[in-house]
Amino acid sequence: MHPMLNIAVRAARAAGTVIVRGFEKHNEVATESKGLNDFVTQVDKDAEQAIIAKIQQSFPNHCFMGEESGETAGTDTDYQWIIDPLDGTTNFVKGIPHFAVSIALLHKGRLDQAVVFDPIRSELFTASRGQGAQLNGYRIRASKPRDLSETIIATGMPFKNKAQFGEYALSLNKIFHDVGDIRRAGSAALDLAYVAAGRHDGYWERGIKTWDIAAGELIVREAGGLVTDFKGGNDPLYKGEIVAGSAKVVQGLVKHLK
């Protein structure tokens, strides 16, 4: 395992410990609203600090972008860690055991290391650029379905901006009639990890943030999948939209999303 990935794994597990402890008493966890259907808990904040503290023990000069703490400048600008300490906070708040820690490392602007950790199932999805993707140490590969009608596709609804639902519904209707079935589970990081593992054949969503998808994007790519924006562009990290899957699946989704 790459040394920096090893540190990311340790940080993710440290955050996972915080999250599982909080989930056992999720009804007692203090929750704040950041906006419409956008929540943050003390567990989000504590988990993010646990991640940053663990990474800074080894790399004190690196930069950070965290969902809760924002951007933190470091003297070594070649490296930036992108952190979502609890992707799926609404699930967490409601007691739904489907959420994850997401940690990615950019090196000179390129995704280089990635971890998505599901602390409830103890599933650790990892990737290093050029080295493939793994689930709990075993190689994973994205699926290559023969036809869209055989696929299970994941998505996320525009719940933070419901004015966009009309446009989303038009695309959803077209895609639904092309594919086998659709899933909406509430964690972009796990949606992408599941694409990488072949559990989902594809995924699309709009209105997402960089920290939602950074780790998952690299994991999908290293599992042999394709990741684009809604126009088919190959750099969706800062676009607020993403499509992932095999080349055939992505092509099939993008034609309904342009």
Side-chain angles (χ1 to χ4, degrees), residues 101-230:
V101 180
S102 176
I103 304 173
L105 175 63
L106 288 178
H107 179 224
K108 295 183 177 179
R110 296 182 65 187
L111 287 167
D112 193 68
Q113 309 294 329
V115 174
V116 171
F117 179 50
D118 178 343
I120 299 299
R121 298 178 182 85
S122 293
E123 290 191 330
L124 182 73
F125 301 86
T126 58
S128 294
R129 182 160 53 90
Q131 300 298 316
Q134 295 80 34
L135 167 55
N136 290 343
Y138 292 92
R139 185 71 180 265
I140 53 175
R141 299 290 295 178
S143 67
K144 294 183 178 180
R146 293 172 297 180
D147 191 85
L148 278 178
S149 64
E150 302 173 354
T151 61
I152 299 295
I153 306 296
T155 188
M157 296 181 183
F159 64 98
K160 295 180 184 178
N161 187 355
K162 293 188 176 183
Q164 295 180 349
F165 185 78
E167 181 181 354
Y168 170 82
L170 291 174
S171 298
L172 176 66
N173 182 58
K174 294 174 184 177
I175 291 169
F176 180 72
H177 284 88
D178 276 358
V179 304
D181 205 351
I182 291 176
R183 298 286 184 269
R184 193 273 191 266
S187 170
L190 285 176
D191 284 337
L192 286 164
Y194 282 19
V195 170
R199 297 174 180 175
H200 292 154
D201 300 296
Y203 161 68
W204 92 94
E205 187 169 355
R206 171 176 283 156
I208 50 176
K209 302 295 185 181
T210 300
W211 49 75
D212 295 322
I213 62 171
E217 178 182 333
L218 181 63
I219 293 170
V220 170
R221 291 188 190 280
E222 289 297 324
L226 183 66
V227 184
T228 76
D229 59 28
F230 281 13

Side-chain angles (χ1 to χ4, degrees), residues 58-122:
S58 299
F59 307 112
N61 299 323
H62 284 190
C63 303
F64 293 86
M65 177 195 292
E67 179 178 8
E68 308 310 332
S69 59
E71 293 197 43
T72 302
T75 56
D76 190 345
T77 56
D78 284 347
Y79 293 94
Q80 183 184 44
W81 296 87
I82 302 176
I83 302 163
D84 190 340
L86 179 51
D87 185 64
T89 298
T90 301
N91 284 347
F92 176 90
V93 170
K94 291 294 186 180
I96 301 170
H98 189 80
F99 39 78
V101 180
S102 176
I103 304 173
L105 175 63
L106 288 178
H107 179 224
K108 295 183 177 179
R110 296 182 65 187
L111 287 167
D112 193 68
Q113 309 294 329
V115 174
V116 171
F117 179 50
D118 178 343
I120 299 299
R121 298 178 182 85
S122 293

